[in-house]
């Protein structure tokens, strides 16, 4: 998978929410490719990294008003109006978002009024977002703020088409291969993929999204919020689907969509066929994975993430910090893996496993004591394409022999 | 803020509720002192930029922040915003944003910084008189107190409760900044409105802080007439009763040495004090 060009997208927004309200909203808008403009109304420091490309590698039309002290004293409304006009003249975006900052809020610049006047002048939506951090993070969600503005100002209700779905996820499928697979598989099930509102959607995708019959929401807090928003605004129902890699997970994903759209048995049989075919293909393409010892480190086991390792025929041991529950025991038996409550670094963990994967935050205690700083982070991609990527990654990691040799050294 | 080494001998700030008559008192004090041969600088710390109008024949002059709209601070010289008024009083208006936008408090900080950098304070005035907007609504308007630009503060009050309430608030600012700043409260000037029992109320108010009322300024049509003509009372009606009172006030301020760190009252004590004085 191609890594993101920089920290952006809704997932990054989650990480950034601790630092600055405006910045989180910025990350949210930063996911949208190409055709919007964003202006930050504040001093230069508030817009220092706005030249970052989007996840698709495009450069978002963005600008900061770079407020000076004199503008702080005398008001920065004129400066903002000029900046909006300049951005529009330069990039001709289809919509412009204006993000307020602590400074503009403190001095009482009427960002909404300036945006409304600019909208009337330029003929494109100019949306003011009250994103000053000083107003507090508790009562408002900066991610929802950006999405609500999109839903209210950019997306318009459209004629509903049957058997069409939008996909709403976190950052996947940001890779074109995943998006292509999703479209291809859905088409094979006689379902049309209307818009993919994740990764870096374009404004055009957002605009046509209300015409879909169903929103398919990958399980995450962020995605669910957007699903609820679209349901409230456009009456589009949504379903939650698993977003983990794995044959079983992908199967459940497609089944959930088909069941909601009322598809017949023949379509479900297609999915069953895919499961069999992809399982066989994976084992044939990666025969070296069977029986290899892998440790998965979690504070509490995430069984959806354990499943793909078991499906690949690996010898899996789940190491947890907390006492396993009866449900954990049931899941362990279902997947045929081992479950141990122990610290791999304090026991013979290093030498027992050929590979260790960890999910952050994996272990309690100070960061310096966490064993996972020596481990590979687990990156998961959905659908069969994601499963193939995971198998390839495991093969590469196991081939490097790093953990085997490091374990021998420690022993 | 650049650290200052201010060679001027006396730096006075007038604070008080909006519309209480600070600018009138400040302009007339400047006029009296200048008339006695002192070198005086009056600094208007109000976005309205009208503190020195009575010294400048009613003219509106270029103020510091207005100039900063089109020019950088480095390109400014004191002569750009310093204007000579009646009796040779030097006048500066800090200026500020249009009503409803910007940050006037930050403007005061910026304007005083520019004045410092352009060497205004190094000119060695005998008196620098600050006329500061209304209440101390934010940190910017507390700069003359906080940064020690003013060593003596005079409060202008009337017998109305809200003006005393504002004065008590200003005392809170002086008290708050007393440890880091040498600014002290030197006295109270009563600009009477004609309200009932005004004198005893103001006297009791001053006594509660261990202060005295330096002067009771009665309502006088000479004040309005002078303002209408863009002049100070000292210039237009020097021999009027109010003119004589203002001249007496200037003498008292010139010779006054007492100054205190006030202990502000809480709201209920202030209420009780005013009620008591009004009934007695």
């Amino acid at each position: 998978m191609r890594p993101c060009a920089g920290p952006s997208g809704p997932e990054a927004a989650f990480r950034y929410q601790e630092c600055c309200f405006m910045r989180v909203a910025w990350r949210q808008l930063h996911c949208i490719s190409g055709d919007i403009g964003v202006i930050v109304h504040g001093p230069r420091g508030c817009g220092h990294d706005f030249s970052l490309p989007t996840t698709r590698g495009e450069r978002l039309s963005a600008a900061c008003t770079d407020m000076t002290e004199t503008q702080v004293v005398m008001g920065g409304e004129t400066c903002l109006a000029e900046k909006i006009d300049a951005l529009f003249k330069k990039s001709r975006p289809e919509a412009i978002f204006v993000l307020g900052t602590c400074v503009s809020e403190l001095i009482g610049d009427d960002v909404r009024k300036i945006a409304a006047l600019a909208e009337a002048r330029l003929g494109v939506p100019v949306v003011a977002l009250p994103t000053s951090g000083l107003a507090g993070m508790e009562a408002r969600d900066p991610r929802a703020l950006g999405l609500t503005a999109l839903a209210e100002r950019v997306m318009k209700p459209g004629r509903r088409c049957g058997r069409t779905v939008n996909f709403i996820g976190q950052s996947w499928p940001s890779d074109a291969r995943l998006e292509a697979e999703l479209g291809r598989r859905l088409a094979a099930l006689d379902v049309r993929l209307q818009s993919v509102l994740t990764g870096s959607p374009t404004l055009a995708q957002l605009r046509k999204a209300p015409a879909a019959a169903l929103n398919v929401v990958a399980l995450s807090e962020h995605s669910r919020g957007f699903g609820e928003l679209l349901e409230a605004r456009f009456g589009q129902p949504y379903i939650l689907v698993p977003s983990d890699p794995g044959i079983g997970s992908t199967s459940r994903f497609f089944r959930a969509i088909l069941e909601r759209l009322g598809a017949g048995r023949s379509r479900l049989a297609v999915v069953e066929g895919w499961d069999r075919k992809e399982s066989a293909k994976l084992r044939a393409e990666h025969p070296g994975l069977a029986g290899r010892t892998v440790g998965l480190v979690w504070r509490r086991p995430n069984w959806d993430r354990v499943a793909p390792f078991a499906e690949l025929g690996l010898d899996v041991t789940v190491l947890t910090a907390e006492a396993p529950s009866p449900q954990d025991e049931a899941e362990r038996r279902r997947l045929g893996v081992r479950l141990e409550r122990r610290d791999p670094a304090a026991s013979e963990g290093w030498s027992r496993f050929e590979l260790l994967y960890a999910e952050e935050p994996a272990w309690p205690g100070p960061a310096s004591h966490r064993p996972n700083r020596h481990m590979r982070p687990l990156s998961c991609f959905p659908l069969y394409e994601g499963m193939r990527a995971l198998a390839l990654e495991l093969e590469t990691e196991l081939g490097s022999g790093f953990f085997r040799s490091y374990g021998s050294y420690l022993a | 803020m650049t650290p200052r080494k201010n060679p001027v001998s006396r730096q006075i700030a007038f604070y008080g509720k909006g519309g209480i008559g600070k600018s009138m008192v400040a302009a007339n004090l400047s006029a009296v002192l200048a008339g006695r041969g002192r070198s005086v600088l009056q600094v208007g710390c109000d976005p309205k930029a009208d503190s020195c109008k009575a010294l400048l024949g009613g003219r509106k002059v270029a103020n510091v922040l207005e100039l900063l709209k089109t020019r950088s601070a480095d390109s400014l010289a004191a002569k750009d915003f310093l204007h000579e008024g009646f009796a040779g009083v030097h006048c500066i208006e800090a200026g500020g944003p249009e009503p409803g936008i910007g940050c006037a408090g930050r403007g005061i900080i910026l304007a005083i910084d520019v004045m410092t950098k352009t060497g205004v304070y190094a000119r060695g005035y005998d008196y620098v008189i600050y006329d500061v907007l209304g209440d101390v609504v934010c940190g910017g308007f507390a700069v003359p107190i906080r940064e020690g630009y003013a060593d003596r503060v005079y409060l202008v009050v009337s017998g109305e409760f809200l003006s005393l309430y504002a004065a008590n608030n200003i005392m809170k600012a002086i008290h708050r900044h007393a440890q880091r700043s040498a600014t002290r409260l030197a006295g109270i000037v009563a600009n009477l409105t004609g309200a009932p029992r005004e004198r005893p109320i103001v006297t009791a108010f001053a006594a509660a802080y261990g202060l005295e009322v330096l002067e009771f300024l009665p309502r006088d049509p000479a004040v309005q007439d002078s303002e209408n003509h863009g002049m100070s009372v000292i210039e237009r009606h020097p021999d009027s009763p109010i003119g004589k009172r203002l001249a007496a006030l200037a003498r008292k301020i010139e010779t006054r040495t007492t100054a205190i760190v006030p202990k502000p009252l809480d709201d209920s004590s202030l209420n009780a004090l005013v009620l008591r004085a009004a009934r007695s």
Side-chain angles (χ1 to χ4, degrees):
Chain A
M1 303 290 287
R2 184 173 58 79
C4 290
S8 67
E11 281 179 348
F14 270 108
R15 293 199 298 273
Y16 275 76
Q17 67 181 336
E18 294 301 321
C19 63
C20 174
F21 195 99
M22 184 277 295
R23 205 156 286 270
V24 179
W26 153 254
R27 298 286 169 195
Q28 187 69 64
L29 294 167
H30 192 246
C31 315
I32 302 166
S33 287
D35 31 23
I36 67 160
V38 178
I39 290 180
V40 172
H41 185 36
R44 183 164 294 177
C46 293
H48 72 94
D49 65 348
F50 289 170
S51 56
L52 280 178
T54 66
T55 46
R56 290 188 191 215
E58 295 159 356
R59 193 153 289 231
L60 192 67
S61 304
C64 179
T65 48
D66 294 348
M67 288 175 87
T68 62
E69 190 170 29
T70 306
Q71 281 157 353
V72 170
V73 171
M74 306 304 267
E77 292 182 357
T78 312
C79 157
L80 174 61
E82 287 170 1
K83 208 72 172 182
I84 293 172
D85 288 353
L87 183 83
F88 181 75
K89 195 175 169 188
K90 185 182 164 197
S91 317
R92 298 274 162 188
E94 290 183 49
I96 296 173
F97 291 85
V98 182
L99 306 183
T101 61
C102 297
V103 174
S104 61
E105 184 74 16
L106 199 64
I107 66 170
D109 271 359
D110 195 343
V111 178
R112 280 178 191 275
K113 185 191 79 183
I114 299 299
L117 290 172
E119 184 168 321
R121 196 167 59 244
L122 305 175
V124 296
V126 181
V127 186
L129 298 180
T131 48
S132 70
L134 58 84
M137 300 286 282
E138 292 76 21
R140 303 174 303 161
D141 181 350
R143 289 161 292 139
L145 204 66
L147 292 174
T148 307
L150 285 170
E152 287 181 353
R153 302 298 307 280
V154 174
M155 299 165 78
K156 304 287 177 208
R159 201 175 140 205
R160 199 64 52 82
C161 309
R163 297 186 71 78
T164 54
V165 297
N166 297 319
F167 181 78
I168 302 171
Q170 285 200 43
S171 64
W172 70 270
S174 57
D175 188 276
R177 281 182 305 163
L178 285 173
E179 195 172 325
E181 186 188 7
L182 185 62
R184 194 175 66 246
R185 301 265 180 198
L186 287 173
L189 298 171
D190 198 21
V191 175
R192 194 158 65 83
L193 182 61
Q194 178 85 346
S195 289
V196 177
L197 306 178
T198 185
S200 296
T202 62
L203 209 56
Q205 281 179 316
L206 285 161
R207 282 204 169 114
K208 67 181 185 180
L214 180 69
N215 285 321
V216 177
V217 178
L219 280 172
S220 80
E221 187 196 334
H222 160 264
S223 315
R224 186 176 186 147
F226 197 31
E228 286 170 354
L229 183 71
L230 294 181
E231 185 173 49
R233 178 144 180 88
F234 303 112
Q236 275 179 309
Y238 71 92
I239 55 163
L240 296 170
V241 292
S243 60
D244 301 297
I247 301 294
S249 172
T250 307
S251 183
R252 289 201 302 280
F253 175 95
F254 286 116
R255 279 166 188 274
I257 298 170
L258 289 174
E259 280 163 15
R260 185 60 189 252
L261 291 173
R265 281 179 167 275
S266 60
R267 303 290 173 214
L268 292 170
V270 173
V271 178
E272 281 169 21
W274 289 344
D275 291 350
R276 282 194 300 276
K277 188 180 162 193
E278 291 296 331
S279 292
K281 199 173 164 188
L282 277 168
R283 285 177 187 261
E285 284 176 0
H286 306 282
L289 292 178
R292 306 295 289 270
T293 52
V294 175
L296 301 176
V297 186
W298 269 284
R299 179 190 283 266
R300 279 193 54 73
N302 180 342
W303 295 108
D304 286 334
R305 293 280 165 96
V306 174
F309 289 86
E311 286 169 353
L312 287 168
L314 292 153
D315 180 359
V316 180
T317 302
V318 179
L319 301 157
T320 71
E322 294 177 13
S325 65
Q327 288 89 343
D328 289 332
E329 187 55 35
E331 287 290 334
R332 182 199 71 75
R333 257 187 264 116
R334 183 178 68 81
L335 295 172
V337 299
R338 277 185 292 278
L339 177 61
E340 296 174 10
R341 187 190 177 191
R342 65 168 66 188
D343 184 336
S347 64
E348 72 281 22
W350 290 112
S351 52
R352 280 176 63 201
F353 301 109
E354 293 177 81
L355 195 57
L356 278 167
Y357 269 95
E359 190 168 63
E360 186 76 35
W363 215 261
S368 59
H369 294 159
R370 281 185 190 167
N372 60 343
R373 68 198 171 102
H374 300 298
M375 299 173 191
R376 296 286 189 275
L378 177 57
S379 46
C380 284
F381 309 109
L383 304 187
Y384 302 116
E385 190 69 51
M387 190 64 171
R388 275 197 287 277
L390 179 64
L392 201 64
E393 184 183 316
L394 283 166
E395 206 165 65
T396 309
E397 294 294 347
L398 286 164
S400 74
F402 172 79
F403 281 95
R404 187 182 287 284
S405 58
Y406 189 52
S408 308
Y409 168 74
L410 288 176
Chain B
M1 188 73 65
T2 311
R4 302 154 316 290
K5 203 164 182 183
N6 201 327
V8 299
S9 56
R10 298 292 290 273
Q11 302 152 94
I12 295 166
F14 284 99
Y15 280 92
K17 179 177 164 289
I20 201 74
K22 298 179 296 294
S23 299
M24 184 275 286
V25 174
N28 283 291
L29 177 67
S30 296
V32 174
L33 293 172
R36 290 182 192 153
R38 311 285 188 222
S39 61
V40 181
L41 168 69
Q42 180 166 329
V43 182
C45 301
D46 188 327
K48 293 196 298 292
D50 60 354
S51 170
C52 303
K53 267 175 91 173
L55 296 167
L56 294 164
R59 280 186 297 136
K60 266 266 192 186
V61 290
N63 62 63
V64 180
L65 295 174
E66 194 178 20
L67 290 167
L68 281 177
K69 273 186 184 175
T70 51
R71 294 172 59 180
S72 70
D74 294 339
S75 71
L76 288 180
K79 63 179 171 52
D80 296 327
F81 50 81
L82 199 153
H83 311 275
E84 191 169 324
F86 174 71
V89 176
H90 282 188
C91 304
I92 293 177
E93 295 285 3
E98 294 289 315
I101 57 166
C103 180
R106 184 72 208 168
I108 300 300
I109 295 171
L110 181 58
I112 289 184
D113 198 29
V114 169
M115 285 159 57
T116 307
K117 284 177 180 165
T118 49
V120 169
Y121 294 111
R123 291 175 171 232
Y125 293 102
D126 294 329
Y127 286 90
V128 177
I129 296 170
Y130 296 93
D131 174 18
V132 189
L133 169 146
D135 208 338
V136 187
V137 287
C138 71
F141 294 102
V143 163
I145 298 172
R146 195 180 69 196
E147 302 295 331
Y149 281 95
D151 52 17
R152 294 290 179 267
V153 169
Y154 289 91
L155 296 174
V156 182
V157 302
S158 72
E160 290 172 344
F161 179 77
L162 286 178
S163 106
L164 301 175
Y165 188 81
N168 191 54
N169 274 343
I170 294 156
M171 289 193 214
K172 285 179 187 171
I174 298 170
H175 187 262
R176 183 186 303 277
H177 297 297
Q179 278 194 332
R180 64 176 279 198
S181 153
T183 303
R184 299 291 181 263
L185 180 61
I188 288 176
V189 178
N191 192 23
L192 302 177
T193 60
R197 299 197 53 77
E198 208 168 11
R199 281 173 180 258
I201 290 173
V202 177
T203 307
F205 176 78
Y209 303 96
L211 290 166
E212 58 184 293
V213 182
L214 293 186
E215 196 63 63
F216 288 94
L217 303 174
R219 280 189 77 83
D220 194 317
V223 175
Q224 200 176 0
D225 181 67
S226 304
E227 280 176 2
N228 290 345
H229 286 84
M231 293 179 188
S232 63
V233 176
I234 298 301
E235 184 181 5
R236 184 157 175 85
H237 297 290
D239 299 323
S240 63
I242 183 85
K244 287 175 181 167
R245 294 265 187 172
L246 286 164
L249 173 66
R251 265 195 303 278
K252 287 175 186 170
I253 287 177
E254 221 178 356
T255 54
R256 187 159 183 82
T257 52
T258 310
I260 60 163
V261 175
K263 197 176 171 198
L265 302 176
D266 59 46
D267 288 0
S268 56
S269 303
L270 181 63
N271 269 314
L273 182 146
V274 174
L275 272 176
R276 220 172 22 247
R279 283 176 187 158
S280 61

